[in-house]
Amino acid sequence: MTDDDGVHRREVLKAGGAVAALGLGGGGFFQTLVEDDTVASNPGIGSYVGQNDVIQTVCSPNCRGKCPIDVHVRDGQVKKIEPHPPEDEQYKRACVLGLSHTQRVYDPTRLKYPMKRADWSPDDPNPEGRGPDAEFERVSWDEALDLVADKMQSLKTDHGAESVLFHEGSGNYGQSGKSFKRLASLFGATQSAWGIDANVGRGFNRVTGTGFFLPPTNEAEDWENANTIIVWGSDIFSSQFQMDASKILDAVENGAKLVVIDPVYTTTASKADLWLPVKPGKDVHLALAMMHTVFEDETYDEDFLRKRTTAPALIRKDTGELLKASEVVEDGGEQQVVAVEQGSGSLVELEPETGGPYALFGEFVVDGIECETALTKLRDHVADYAPAKVAEKTGVDAENIRTAVRWLATRGPGGIAPSYAIGRYKHGHIFGQTYAMLMGLTGDYGRHGNIHAHHAGGASLSAGDWSAPEDADPGPSLFFPEYPDAMIDGDPHKVRAVYSIESNMMGNQFPDRQRFIEAIKSLEMYVVADMHHTDTVQHADIILPAPHWFEQEDITSGWGSHPHLGYRHKVQEPLWEARDDYYAIRGLAERFGFGDRFPETKRDMLRKVASRDDAIDFDTLFEQGTQKKQNVPIVKYTDEFPTETGRIKMYDDDAPSEEGVTFDVPRPLEDRTADDYEKADEYPLMFMQKHSRFRIHSQYEMVNWVREINPEPQLDIHPKDAKARGIEDGEYVRVHNDRGEMIVKAKYNEAFQPGLINTDQGWWSRDYIEGHHNDLTHNEVSEVGQTMAFYDVRVEVEPAPDDIDTDQYEADNPRAADAEAPRAGGD
């Protein structure tokens, strides 16, 4: 459909949804249209009369859905989307965004052709030409890939393969990324080591030996068995596009207590038995107060602590190290820790998954060495965090702190379901360590009804060494926060070119956006493959148009959602000259001399990669559309823990340190949320950018249906904070700090506590009157967590200048039917 079909795209597509919803079918009104020849004269109506072809495929953004769907196609055009039950039908799911692909697949922001920035050449990159005013010219696919390959080879020869960075985002949960890494490994390029949303998982990993983003948790089908669920920093009923939220409601219907800990009164909080409105950044203080209550009430799980943790292990008082069996027991193991047996007082080596009458508390002298148990050390540490003592600091009533943890400790199996939000504070890794140990106290591992994260682990395709073949010589890795220093200053090594797929990060999503834009300007070549003409694409030298998911065959991971893999059948051929990322990857591989390492077709590649996973069958997956991986355990943590002792660590004698603080036990450390932060007076408001139900990160920003109800960025601000600054509800305001600014419309919102403001993340620069939310954020990370701290940001707000131009929103709704289409790549 083109823009001059006689009916605007919005009305045509909405009419189709309305017809389907109302069940009008082909009778009545439409029959009249057919008879009076209206259909022939109006293709926007005529396309709704006839028989649909229905193709089963999968929606594939970085969300917690990974939804199997049925796509209805008529006359070569996508008309309707419906949910499709996966193999295990209890995981049936869908969301409004997934159903809106009828618009997204034909959106004018789609990239159409390979493009080259008009004033770029391999020998003269002209970096100042990048940015909002850059112009592009159409080139052929062969020309584009020749330019990319020649420049990469030249840089490899002159500066080493590590001077080229292969950057992969999370915008497409298919398998092309594995081949992207395979090519990077064979070439020797620098690769991404991630650097977003890993704080909580890293801290949890130090205690249990598992976890990176969030830790593994029981699959959602088991959540109904929980007796207490503490949702910590997650609005699971609003921002997660999945059916797993219903599993929490199932648990509540079965009698579970639901506690929500969040500085915002969220949709989820409104459904809770108890809401704890913690102040931003005070989560570790709160969790330590919960530990204090468990010790005070003596509601810890003694059997679990003896069998599966290092709680009874002895710590040397002179060195702070765990006492090793080799030091005090003949033929004792060098890594084996020891405990004291109650009654006999004899030393016992602690084996994994082995209980016994070990002393949990006490001080002992062993061969002249003064020792105490790990649990004694932890109890004494949390003695300073009584609920009454931390109530004012955390903003949570002391009795509510006690009630929440008493439910967890005394009502049977349950759990804590944190989101990534807590890890978006600089030192968020400490929370991961803290709640992992708290759940060790209550014994909430390895049982039905245990929950450790706000989304399940789901299933991924196990491809062995496909991404890094044994004979490859992979280059170094860089965490996302390290990119600018590497590109601009050559620290730890100079990056001169970037090849990016599945990502709108460097131009839109990364914090301290201007620093990343400066980094892009330092490059000799920036190659971006994408579906849409995003902010990041606008900074590219070479643009490679990727197809919509409906136009590319793939196997979709169910990671982070449900235990299935999905087969993404192609619904239609790629529009214009869009080509699958695998086409470009294999094309570059041929030019580098690695062509024989990549199967000729995408399906051949998928079949080969899938053959490495014994838990699935390619033909079954292809035919069914989904296949549940039977080797995904429903209940997690049933075996010994992958730590040095095979036990949960209730004390860490090899703990990392930063800023003079050692994390042998959880110790609160704050950055900008600290009460005495040096610029707190100048910038008194904490600024978060929470996930929106209207986007998946920056995806779906362009969908008209969504923009009709969520038309522009806004600033959620408590009326008390607004009125103190002379700001009226609905007035445009300037949000600023020492890095940047943005101008948005203020919205009085009492769900946000005074001192905390929010603009939902994922908006593009074109959506702002001026500035951008990520012009306010910073790229400072903790040494331990290496995770971008989006929420650890302070700002001030004031009324916007009188002369700002707000016509894009006030003159007319820019996303309405008659709106002018934005410039799209290839036009």
Side-chain angles (χ1 to χ4, degrees):
M1 181 187 297
T2 62
D3 289 334
D4 57 357
D5 282 328
V7 179
H8 290 287
R9 177 177 285 107
R10 181 173 65 92
E11 281 82 4
V12 171
L13 296 177
K14 288 181 72 175
V19 169
L22 295 173
L24 296 179
F29 173 65
F30 270 128
Q31 184 63 36
T32 302
L33 294 181
V34 173
E35 290 173 351
D36 69 8
D37 204 32
T38 304
V39 169
S41 63
N42 194 328
I45 295 176
S47 60
Y48 289 90
V49 180
Q51 181 68 39
N52 288 348
D53 292 324
V54 181
I55 299 95
Q56 183 183 345
T57 189
V58 186
C59 189
S60 304
N62 178 19
C63 76
R64 303 284 73 82
K66 316 299 190 299
C67 305
I69 53 178
D70 286 334
V71 180
H72 292 246
V73 179
R74 187 179 302 164
D75 299 331
Q77 184 179 355
V78 174
K79 293 297 185 184
K80 186 175 70 171
I81 317 292
E82 290 183 316
H84 185 99
E87 183 179 27
D88 186 342
E89 293 195 12
Q90 68 179 315
Y91 287 100
K92 183 177 181 180
R93 57 192 54 223
C95 79
V96 173
L97 292 183
L99 304 182
S100 74
H101 282 297
T102 49
Q103 288 199 328
R104 186 176 175 186
V105 71
Y106 301 116
D107 192 84
T109 62
R110 283 282 306 271
L111 293 167
K112 298 175 175 62
Y113 313 109
M115 308 284 282
K116 181 183 80 71
R117 179 160 60 89
D119 56 0
W120 176 88
S121 71
D123 297 326
D124 183 12
N126 187 27
E128 295 304 318
R130 297 187 179 109
D133 298 324
E135 297 291 339
F136 300 91
E137 58 190 26
R138 182 176 173 180
V139 295
S140 70
W141 268 99
D142 280 342
E143 288 176 289
L145 294 181
D146 285 345
L147 286 168
V148 173
D150 290 348
K151 183 62 177 179
M152 284 186 180
Q153 289 282 35
S154 173
L155 290 173
K156 182 176 182 177
T157 299
D158 294 342
H159 304 286
E162 68 274 10
S163 65
V164 178
L165 168 66
F166 277 50
H167 165 76
E168 181 189 7
S170 57
N172 181 359
Y173 267 67
Q175 303 306 315
S176 290
K178 290 182 172 64
S179 291
F180 186 71
K181 292 185 178 73
R182 182 179 180 87
L183 178 61
S185 296
L186 293 167
F187 186 83
T190 299
Q191 298 188 52
S192 302
W194 213 249
I196 293 178
D197 292 341
N199 252 337
V200 174
R202 284 174 181 271
F204 194 95
N205 189 298
R206 295 206 308 273
V207 175
T208 66
T210 185
F212 180 75
F213 294 108
L214 290 177
T217 188
N218 291 9
E219 295 302 312
E221 66 189 74
D222 183 66
W223 292 6
E224 65 181 9
N225 297 309
N227 292 330
T228 302
I229 302 174
I230 300 178
V231 175
W232 205 315
S234 170
D235 191 9
I236 192 170
F237 291 171
S238 179
S239 67
Q240 291 186 220
F241 295 85
Q242 57 170 328
M243 299 306 292
D244 292 347
S246 70
K247 306 303 182 185
I248 292 180
L249 293 176
D250 289 342
V252 171
E253 289 181 0
N254 290 340
K257 294 292 188 181
L258 176 60
V259 179
V260 172
I261 301 175
D262 203 300
V264 182
Y265 187 67
T266 61
T267 302
T268 311
S270 72
K271 308 298 181 185
D273 295 290
L274 185 62
W275 171 48
L276 307 186
V278 65
K279 293 179 181 179
K282 309 302 182 187
D283 304 275
V284 173
H285 296 272
L286 180 57
L288 292 174
M290 290 181 168
M291 283 191 188
H292 181 283
T293 300
V294 172
F295 281 114
E296 186 176 59
D297 293 350
E298 298 184 359
T299 52
Y300 39 81
D301 188 328
E302 295 187 23
D303 290 340
F304 182 87
L305 288 168
R306 290 189 173 103
K307 181 179 180 180
R308 307 199 69 195
T309 81
T310 61
L314 296 181
I315 303 170
R316 298 180 56 136
K317 286 192 171 184
D318 56 349
T319 65
E321 297 177 348
L322 288 165
L323 184 67
K324 300 303 192 322
S326 60
E327 300 177 76
V328 291
V329 177
E330 185 176 355
D331 298 326
E334 292 186 2
Q335 297 301 318
Q336 203 77 29
V337 296
V338 297
V340 173
E341 190 173 70
Q342 290 176 319
S344 69
S346 58
L347 289 179
V348 181
E349 296 183 56
L350 287 179
E351 300 288 345
E353 301 294 318
T354 304
Y358 313 131
L360 291 174
F361 299 99
E363 298 181 351
F364 306 90
V365 178
V366 181
D367 288 355
I369 304 170
E370 294 186 358
C371 301
E372 62 183 336
T373 69
L375 202 60
T376 301
K377 180 85 170 179
L378 182 61
R379 180 195 63 188
D380 292 349
H381 172 62
V382 303
D384 293 332
Y385 295 91
K389 188 173 181 179
V390 305
E392 183 177 358
K393 177 178 283 289
T394 62
V396 180
D397 178 78
E399 192 55 35
N400 286 343
I401 297 174
R402 297 187 188 99
T403 297
V405 74
R406 283 169 178 165
W407 285 347
L408 180 65
T410 65
R411 301 186 75 252
I416 297 173
S419 75
Y420 300 105
I422 309 165
R424 290 176 185 148
Y425 296 99
K426 185 175 179 180
H427 302 291
H429 62 90
I430 308 170
F431 175 79
Q433 175 192 21
T434 311
Y435 96 94
M437 295 173 73
L438 171 58
M439 293 185 68
L441 285 178
T442 60
D444 281 306
Y445 289 86
R447 298 189 290 175
H448 286 285
N450 286 159
I451 301 176
H452 301 86
H454 79 153
H455 68 71
S460 298
L461 185 67
S462 301
D465 65 352
W466 181 261
S467 296
E470 287 186 7
D471 60 342
D473 185 18
S477 296
L478 287 175
F479 289 104
F480 293 161
E482 297 178 300
Y483 281 10
D485 287 349
M487 295 176 192
I488 297 171
D489 303 319
D491 179 22
H493 64 270
K494 182 68 173 175
V495 169
R496 300 173 183 273
V498 174
Y499 176 19
S500 170
I501 68 170
E502 304 170 3
S503 174
N504 187 23
M505 291 176 173
M506 288 183 62
N508 198 79
Q509 291 297 100
F510 279 160
D512 199 357
R513 188 178 69 113
Q514 294 301 326
R515 173 72 169 167
F516 277 90
I517 290 174
E518 179 187 357
I520 293 172
K521 288 185 177 180
S522 73
L523 298 173
E524 296 182 33
M525 180 177 69
Y526 189 32
V527 182
V528 180
D530 207 300
M531 189 189 307
H532 298 277
H533 195 128
T534 66
D535 283 355
T536 299
V537 166
Q538 184 60 28
H539 291 274
D541 302 316
I542 301 293
I543 299 171
L544 304 178
H548 185 276
W549 299 316
F550 293 176
E551 300 161 6
Q552 47 178 302
E553 189 173 4
D554 218 323
I555 295 174
T556 299
S557 161
W559 181 87
S561 50
H562 55 92
H564 293 84
L565 296 178
Y567 203 91
R568 198 167 70 206
H569 288 286
K570 187 184 292 187
V571 173
Q572 62 186 22
E573 291 303 313
L575 298 178
W576 305 290
E577 291 184 11
R579 300 280 177 89
D580 194 298
D581 281 325
Y582 185 72
Y583 175 87
I585 291 164
R586 190 175 188 279
L588 291 173
E590 289 179 327
R591 288 163 171 82
F592 295 149
F594 307 132
D596 60 337
R597 308 297 296 273
F598 294 81
E600 184 174 352
T601 69
K602 178 75 172 286
R603 187 177 298 180
D604 289 342
M605 182 272 286
L606 295 175
R607 184 181 290 276
K608 191 173 188 67
V609 172
S611 69
R612 294 165 169 251
D613 192 330
D614 294 335
I616 67 163
D617 175 71
F618 179 86
D619 292 326
T620 301
L621 177 62
F622 185 89
E623 292 298 325
Q624 291 185 174
T626 62
Q627 186 175 9
K628 188 175 183 181
K629 291 191 74 171
Q630 298 301 325
N631 64 346
V632 175
I634 304 303
V635 177
K636 305 300 195 289
Y637 308 106
T638 57
D639 299 321
E640 70 176 73
F641 292 88
T643 61
E644 297 90 340
T645 63
R647 292 166 169 257
I648 291 173
K649 293 194 287 188
M650 303 303 283
Y651 175 81
D652 188 353
D653 64 346
D654 189 30
S657 301
E658 60 185 348
E659 300 183 21
V661 178
T662 301
F663 305 113
D664 50 350
V665 290
R667 305 180 193 278
L669 180 62
E670 297 180 59
D671 190 49
R672 288 160 172 81
T673 60
D675 300 331
D676 59 353
Y677 181 67
E678 59 183 355
K679 292 186 178 181
D681 292 337
E682 186 177 1
Y683 302 111
L685 301 174
M686 293 304 301
F687 174 52
M688 67 187 299
Q689 318 89 47
K690 69 180 182 66
H691 279 271
S692 168
R693 73 186 72 191
F694 301 112
R695 286 177 302 284
I696 307 293
H697 298 297
S698 69
Q699 295 195 46
Y700 300 94
E701 176 270 357
M702 74 296 295
V703 175
N704 287 338
W705 290 351
V706 173
R707 293 301 289 266
E708 288 182 2
I709 55 176
N710 184 227
E712 64 179 298
Q714 67 182 29
L715 185 76
D716 295 303
I717 184 169
H718 193 280
K720 179 181 176 180
D721 287 332
K723 292 174 181 178
R725 292 162 173 78
I727 295 168
E728 298 293 329
D729 190 23
E731 178 182 358
Y732 282 97
V733 295
R734 175 177 176 258
V735 186
H736 64 96
N737 59 19
D738 50 0
R739 283 176 300 281
E741 67 176 7
M742 68 174 181
I743 291 179
V744 293
K745 184 178 288 185
K747 178 178 176 57
Y748 284 8
N749 193 337
E750 293 185 70
F752 288 81
Q753 57 187 253
L756 175 65
I757 61 174
N758 170 75
T759 293
D760 290 350
Q761 65 111 327
W763 295 103
W764 297 7
S765 60
R766 69 178 185 174
D767 301 315
Y768 288 96
I769 303 296
E770 291 182 14
H772 191 283
H773 62 276
N774 274 327
D775 291 345
L776 297 159
T777 52
H778 62 81
N779 190 37
E780 300 170 23
V781 300
S782 81
E783 298 172 13
V784 177
Q786 288 294 319
T787 298
M788 290 168 162
F790 293 92
Y791 290 3
D792 221 331
V793 177
R794 283 187 175 270
V795 299
E796 181 55 289
V797 181
E798 63 188 23
D802 293 335
D803 60 351
I804 62 166
D805 182 5
T806 61
D807 281 352
Q808 73 179 91
Y809 292 116
E810 297 193 329
D812 191 15
N813 179 352
R815 304 296 176 221
D818 297 322
E820 181 181 350
R823 178 182 57 173
D827 279 349

